[in-house]
């Protein structure tokens, strides 16, 4: 026993000092019993080093500890776990040392360790040299796990310094066949290894193809595995890698013919590049007579409804060639061609119609009837042409009048009362903190916190503790002023109220914020943001000094509007309780009270006067006088942007708190900064509309620079406020329309979708000025702020909902601006996407039966060539000249 102890002490000393050679020599002479006896001391040293600072001494000891611990485990599972431990990973022994200290074990044991290491996830970063060395020493079957195969590929691809080639290395490796077969089974391997699959004579593709031709790899198995992997789909990098390998294998015609069913499936469902390859293979087979017309028709049924126009057009070309080669195939192929009549692209529809017109005479009568039925899916303009050439019944019938389909206008929703119990309120606070909420959820929760804080603050604080544990300030050290500074500069929504209830912010800080606030911020958002924040600071300050029984300004409706009789009732309850209204809360209530119903306002004013309070008298005066009118606005340009300058808002009472006085000040776009404190907090913007309900232009003008950025700079997410602007009450003027225009030209699809939603809501409410919006879009496209292709995608989304007339009126005002540039300069300022925009306009004109003329359209239609711009200009001119209705 003493010998074992001395051996253990000697090994521990060598490991602690980092003497790897000495430790390896001691391990060589130990028995299994002696090694097991050393293991507890090594584990203790590991715990000690784990808690020690990462210094030179610990870095020196880790490699020796890694090797000694692996050697002293006598079980394969324990050895594998020690070797892959996270705390030993960053300073481990080299694979050569590990193979030396483990190499005297039994072969079965070594093979077990090798396979256990290979089964670890790639994140374990097991060295491939260690795994392959153990396989070599044990003679066990080679592992085919992801970790082992990825390591093998990286090893083969990185040994360039030897001077040989990838092909030579693969030839020398006895396990190449097994490992190549495993490559096809590993998910997402293309994304990991795409950089290794380069082109050139020494690429993996060429090496594997050469080994297949030489017979080192089974050709049928390799081709089948490659095709199967493409059929499985996956990330684009996977498809790209295996398609390049399949191309390098250079399949024979027999091999291609045997897999006709696979090509059909790939052409229909695979990613674009793979589908294109499958389409070319099938096309070659079809033109050589090795694909039946039925198979070609089956293929067309899948390809013609793909979104990639290049694939669809190539398929129509292939069908045309097949019909010319074998006119008798018309019975099978023409119904397939007719499926393209329902494609969204009218160019595709027209190509398909030309094919049908050219070959329909060779088809039997029943096929003609099937094609004629499918022609009902054509666009209105092409349907008229089909009626003449195909003999559609009812070609001369009077078209039904067009009916615009718009979504129903949103109905105002009432704000529900605050929860009755503190526990239920705490649950809603947790939901609001986790995912945010709309104006209704925020306002009812804020009112609930004030109400329950007035009734029983301790019970409310106890209920809130479980839901606010993740907020950083809950356990903040009170010796540091970080919490006070955090809430002095910004209330951070409900957080300042929650922190007050939990005693985490001082009354002095709340008093300073309530009295002054951050009034020096010069950005254009600060006016509405200051008013929103001032009410939160006041609510928190009053909770700690003189709690309010409830909030006066809690809106009746989700839009932020407050019914006058409800405000009178709240003031009456304040009078009964002897409560002092909050100055900021009452100012917010006045701004929110609804005054568009004269009779209701007069009756409420009479009841307010009868209260005999100062606030009642102020409310009565407010209800019986005209509210602040919208200020004058003037357009200003900033680079490619068009922004708005607002004048002073008249009618803001002088007794309003300073934060609310700022709402009436002028707005200058040149004082807007690219970044400010409000730039990053987009959730707060959704509440600004409720600060000044009924005056959305004030908010929209302050957000125009952010809204313009989604189109000009490609920012993401700023247009999410557009649907709220559209649903908000009040006049939709220049600022709202300009904001929608920028959103329709946004870079990101989600922002464009928000703009389309806003457009449809405004149209459904009868508040969309299509002439104004179209003129704005025309000018923004001319200046380069909005790209025609993005706008085309947006308006195409709008017309799919049925808003053809609305979109037509917008484009009728927007297109002449670009057409004028085209006629004057010979090329539009932003020609890319102009043809797509004209295509949408032509479709809208056909659907709605629009007639008349469009300025400068004739010059575009008379241009030479057959570009999409020219063909769609001709289509639009023909429609406006003759009038076509759906």
């Amino acid at each position: 026993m003493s010998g074992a102890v001395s051996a253990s002490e000697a090994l521990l000393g060598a490991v602690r000092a980092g003497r790897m050679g000495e430790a390896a020599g001691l391990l060589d002479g130990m028995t299994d019993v002696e090694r097991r006896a050393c293991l507890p001391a090594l584990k203790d040293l590991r715990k000690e080093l784990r808690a020690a600072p990462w210094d030179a001494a610990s870095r020196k000891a880790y490699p020796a500890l890694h090797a000694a611990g692996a050697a002293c485990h006598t079980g394969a599972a324990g050895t594998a776990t020690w070797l892959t431990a996270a705390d030993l990973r960053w300073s481990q022994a080299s694979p050569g040392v590990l193979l030396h200290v483990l190499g005297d074990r039994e072969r079965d044991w070594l093979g077990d360790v090798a396979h256990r290491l290979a089964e670890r996830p790639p994140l374990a970063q097991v060295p491939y040299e260690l795994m392959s060395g153990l396989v070599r020493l044990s003679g066990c079957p080679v592992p085919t796990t992801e970790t082992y195969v990825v390591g093998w590929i990286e090893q083969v691809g990185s040994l360039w310094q030897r001077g040989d080639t990838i092909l030579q290395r693969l030839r020398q490796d006895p396990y190449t066949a097994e490992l190549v077969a495993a490559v096809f089974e590993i998910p997402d391997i293309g994304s990991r290894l795409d950089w290794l699959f380069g082109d050139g004579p020494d690429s993996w593709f060429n090496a594997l193809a050469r080994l297949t031709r030489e017979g080192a790899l089974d050709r049928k198995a390799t081709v089948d595995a490659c095709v199967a992997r493409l059929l499985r789909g996956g990330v684009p990098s996977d498809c790209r890698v295996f398609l390049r390998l399949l191309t390098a294998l250079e399949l024979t015609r027999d091999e291609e013919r045997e897999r006709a069913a696979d090509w059909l499936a790939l052409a229909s469902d695979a990613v674009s590049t793979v589908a294109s390859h499958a389409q070319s293979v099938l096309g070659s087979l079809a033109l050589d007579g090795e694909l039946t017309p039925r198979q070609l028709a089956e293929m067309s049924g899948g390809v013609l409804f793909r979104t990639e126009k290049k694939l669809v057009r190539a398929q129509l070309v292939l069908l045309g060639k097949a019909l010319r080669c074998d006119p008798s195939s018309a019975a099978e192929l023409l119904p397939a061609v007719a499926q393209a009549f329902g494609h969204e692209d009218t160019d595709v529809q027209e190509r398909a119609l030309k094919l049908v017109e050219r070959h329909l005479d060779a088809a039997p009568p029943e096929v003609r009837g099937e094609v004629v039925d499918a022609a009902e899916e054509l666009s209105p303009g092409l349907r008229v042409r089909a009626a003449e050439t195909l003999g559609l019944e009812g070609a001369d019938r009077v078209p039904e009048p067009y009916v615009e389909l718009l979504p129903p206008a949103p109905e105002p929703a009432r704000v529900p009362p605050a929860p009755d119990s503190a526990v239920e309120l705490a649950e809603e606070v947790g939901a609001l903190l986790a995912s945010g909420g709309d104006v209704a959820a925020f306002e009812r929760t804020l009112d609930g916190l004030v109400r329950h804080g007035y009734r029983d603050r301790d019970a409310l604080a106890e209920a809130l503790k479980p839901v606010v544990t993740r907020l950083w300030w809950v356990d903040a050290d009170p010796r540091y002023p970080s919490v006070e500074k955090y809430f002095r500069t910004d209330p951070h929504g409900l957080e300042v109220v929650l922190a007050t209830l939990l005693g985490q912010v001082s009354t002095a800080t709340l008093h300073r914020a309530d009295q002054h606030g951050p009034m020096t911020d010069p950005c254009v958002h600060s006016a509405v943001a200051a008013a929103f924040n001032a009410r939160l600071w006041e609510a928190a300050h009053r909770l700690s000094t003189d709690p309010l029984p409830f909030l006066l300004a809690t809106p009746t409706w989700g839009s932020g509007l407050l019914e006058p009789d409800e405000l009178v009732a709240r003031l009456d309850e304040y009078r009964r309780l002897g409560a002092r209204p909050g100055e900021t809360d009452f100012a917010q209530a006045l701004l929110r009270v609804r005054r568009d119903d004269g009779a209701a306002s007069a009756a409420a004013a009479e009841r307010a006067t009868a209260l005999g309070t100062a606030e009642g008298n102020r409310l009565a005066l407010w209800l019986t006088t005209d509210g602040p009118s919208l200020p004058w606005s003037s357009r200003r340009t900033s680079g490619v942007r068009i922004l708005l300058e607002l004048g002073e808002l008249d009618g803001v009472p002088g007794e309003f708190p300073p934060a609310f006085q700022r709402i009436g000040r002028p707005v200058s776009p040149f004082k807007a900064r690219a970044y400010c404190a409000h730039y990053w907090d987009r959730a707060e913007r959704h509440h600004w509309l409720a600060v000044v309900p009924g005056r959305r232009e004030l908010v929209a003008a302050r957000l125009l620079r952010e809204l313009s950025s989604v189109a000009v700079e490609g920012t993401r997410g700023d247009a999410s406020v557009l649907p709220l602007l559209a649903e908000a009450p009040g006049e939709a003027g220049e600022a709202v329309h300009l904001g929608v225009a920028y959103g329709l030209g946004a870079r990101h699809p989600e922002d464009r979708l928000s703009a389309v939603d806003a457009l449809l809501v405004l149209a459904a409410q009868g508040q969309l000025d299509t002439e104004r919006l179209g003129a704005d879009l025309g000018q923004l496209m001319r200046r380069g702020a909005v790209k025609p292709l993005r706008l085309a995608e947006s308006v195409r989304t709008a017309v799919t909902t049925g808003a053809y007339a609305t979109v037509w009126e917008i484009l009728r005002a927007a297109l002449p601006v670009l057409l004028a540039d085209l006629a004057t300069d010979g090329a539009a300022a932003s020609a890319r996407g102009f043809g797509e925009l004209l295509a949408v306009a032509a479709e809208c004109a056909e659907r709605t039966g629009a007639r008349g003329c469009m300025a400068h359209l004739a010059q575009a239609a008379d241009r030479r060539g057959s570009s999409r711009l020219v063909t769609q200009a001709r289509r639009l001119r023909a429609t406006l000249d003759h009038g076509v209705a759906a």
Side-chain angles (χ1 to χ4, degrees), residues 515-553:
Q515 292 299 312
H516 305 290
M519 304 296 289
T520 58
D521 192 343
C523 76
V524 293
H525 316 104
S526 59
V528 285
F532 176 74
N533 291 341
R535 184 160 164 258
L536 292 167
W537 273 316
E538 181 186 73
H541 182 237
R542 290 291 295 269
L543 273 172
S544 63
T545 55
D546 180 17
L548 297 167
F550 52 84
L551 293 175
L552 294 172

Side-chain angles (χ1 to χ4, degrees), residues 34-244:
E34 291 174 329
R35 292 183 178 185
R36 282 195 294 268
C38 294
L39 194 56
L42 293 174
K43 289 182 177 179
D44 290 341
L45 177 59
R46 179 180 172 186
K47 291 179 182 177
E48 177 187 333
L49 291 177
R50 192 183 299 156
W54 185 249
D55 54 16
S58 61
R59 288 199 303 271
K60 190 175 182 180
Y62 265 114
L65 176 63
H66 187 238
C72 289
H73 277 86
T74 55
T79 298
T81 301
W82 183 279
L83 286 171
T84 57
D87 58 320
L88 300 172
R89 184 178 305 160
W90 304 111
S91 186
Q92 54 185 271
S94 67
V97 170
L98 293 173
L99 291 173
H100 172 79
V101 298
L102 298 175
D104 58 351
R105 301 297 184 91
E106 296 179 357
R107 297 180 65 182
D108 290 345
W109 187 91
L110 292 173
D112 191 3
V113 172
H115 279 266
R116 289 178 183 273
L117 293 177
E119 288 169 1
R120 299 284 172 167
L123 289 177
Q125 299 179 355
V126 183
Y128 170 75
E129 295 85 350
L130 174 60
M131 294 185 289
S132 61
L134 292 171
V135 169
R136 185 177 63 254
L137 290 173
S138 66
C140 68
V142 64
T144 55
T145 63
E146 180 178 1
T147 294
Y148 194 91
V149 174
V150 170
W152 171 71
I153 292 178
E154 291 178 345
Q155 175 82 355
V156 172
S158 62
L159 296 180
W160 54 268
Q161 66 270 23
R162 291 181 177 177
D164 55 3
T165 64
I166 289 178
L167 177 61
Q168 291 170 333
R169 294 170 218 152
L170 293 176
R171 282 173 176 162
Q172 296 165 4
D173 194 323
Y175 302 113
T176 291
E178 294 94 326
L179 294 173
V180 167
V183 167
F184 297 99
E185 304 302 324
I186 297 175
D188 297 341
I189 195 170
S191 59
R192 296 175 179 274
L193 307 173
D194 194 19
W195 65 275
L196 287 174
F197 285 76
D199 292 320
D202 191 33
S203 68
W204 273 86
F205 304 110
N206 291 329
L208 293 180
R210 180 71 176 272
L211 290 175
T212 304
R213 287 193 293 271
E214 293 174 354
L217 298 177
D218 183 270
R219 181 174 180 84
K220 185 177 186 305
T222 303
V223 174
D224 286 344
C226 204
V227 173
R229 187 57 186 266
L230 292 175
L231 285 168
R232 193 188 313 167
V235 296
S237 57
D238 273 5
C239 298
R240 181 169 58 250
V241 162
F242 291 106
L243 177 60
R244 289 167 70 182

Side-chain angles (χ1 to χ4, degrees), residues 757-778:
D757 288 343
L759 183 151
L760 295 176
V761 168
L762 289 172
Q765 294 172 337
Q767 296 176 328
L768 181 67
D769 187 336
T770 54
E771 188 76 21
R772 168 182 279 171
L773 180 59
D776 287 342
L777 286 167

Side-chain angles (χ1 to χ4, degrees), residues 668-711:
S668 172
F670 301 106
K671 292 183 179 179
R673 296 177 298 178
Y675 301 102
C676 64
H678 311 103
Y679 177 82
W680 309 107
D681 190 2
R682 292 171 181 155
E684 185 180 301
R685 299 176 193 171
H686 298 169
H687 297 285
W688 293 349
L689 287 162
V691 174
V692 283
R695 301 175 182 87
R696 53 182 162 183
E697 282 287 292
L698 296 179
V699 177
R702 288 175 165 84
L703 291 175
L704 264 185
R705 181 166 287 275
E706 283 77 20
L707 291 173
S708 67
S709 294
V710 301

Side-chain angles (χ1 to χ4, degrees), residues 245 381 508:
L245 177 56

